[in-house]
Amino acid sequence: MELGQMLADSGGGFGALFTALGLNWQALILNAIAVLLVVWILGHFVFPTLIKALDSKRDELTAATRLEQAAKEALERGRTEVNSLINEARTTADEIITEARAEAAAMAKASSDKAEVQAGRIIDEGRAQLAHDVTTARQSLRRETAHLVASATEKIIDVKLDGAKDEALITAVLGGRR
């Protein structure tokens, strides 16, 4: 009620209301015009530039987001490809190792077979040489024995026989033992 009373005392009017509120209506209008002018200047000159800059940044961010997504997809494709290549290399390496082991086993078997054949041949040669040496030794022993018998007989009977008679006598003496 005080406001109403103040209006009545001041003689009424719009100006009295502002005065009652402690406002200067002329300053208020000038301030309103100044605010409207600032808003118009900002809206006409500043905001479009800011909006363009913000739109530009938004476009850049959108492009960067697209590039980031493309890079992620490329990275994932690359990882998949690398994993595929690694698996393929492992498979190939396993095949090579299996083949190498098989070849090594075959080579070892071939070497073993060759060594067995060579050992058998050496044993056969050794047996043949031994048989030949035994035969040679027997023949040599017979000749030596015949010579010793002839010498002993000559000494016993004190008669020298010729080669044919020696041979016949030795054969006759040894003939029963052969």
Side-chain angles (χ1 to χ4, degrees):
M1 288 254 200
E2 288 180 23
L3 182 59
Q5 195 174 24
M6 283 181 14
L7 284 175
D9 288 341
S10 62
F14 200 64
L17 176 67
F18 286 113
T19 306
L21 292 174
L23 297 175
N24 182 354
W25 64 275
Q26 294 161 342
L28 182 64
I29 291 174
L30 284 176
N31 283 335
I33 291 172
V35 166
L36 291 175
L37 182 64
V38 168
V39 168
W40 180 82
I41 290 172
L42 287 174
H44 197 274
F45 296 108
V46 176
F47 288 146
T49 306
L50 286 176
I51 290 173
K52 284 181 185 178
L54 289 174
D55 287 343
S56 173
K57 286 295 179 186
R58 184 189 65 221
D59 292 344
E60 287 177 12
L61 289 174
T62 303
T65 304
R66 274 189 250 128
L67 287 175
E68 178 185 15
Q69 186 63 32
K72 284 180 182 178
E73 290 172 1
L75 177 64
E76 190 59 35
R77 281 192 309 269
R79 283 182 180 162
T80 302
E81 189 174 324
V82 165
N83 288 337
S84 173
L85 289 174
I86 287 172
N87 289 336
E88 184 179 324
R90 283 183 181 152
T91 302
T92 303
D94 288 343
E95 289 173 1
I96 290 171
I97 288 170
T98 302
E99 288 176 13
R101 285 181 180 161
E103 287 179 15
M107 290 173 69
K109 176 72 173 139
S111 295
S112 175
D113 292 346
K114 186 177 178 181
E116 285 180 24
V117 167
Q118 190 173 7
R121 184 177 48 78
I122 290 171
I123 289 172
D124 290 344
E125 288 176 1
R127 284 183 182 159
Q129 183 65 36
L130 182 62
H132 175 70
D133 290 348
V134 167
T135 303
T136 303
R138 283 184 182 164
Q139 289 173 352
S140 176
L141 185 59
R142 277 192 191 140
R143 277 194 301 271
E144 190 65 31
T145 303
H147 180 65
L148 286 174
V149 168
S151 290
T153 305
E154 189 177 305
K155 294 240 183 209
I156 292 174
I157 59 172
D158 228 358
V159 173
K160 174 68 178 149
L161 301 174
D162 62 11
K165 289 181 184 178
D166 283 344
E167 183 73 28
L169 182 59
I170 291 170
T171 304
V173 171
L174 292 177
R177 293 193 219 174
R178 281 192 192 181

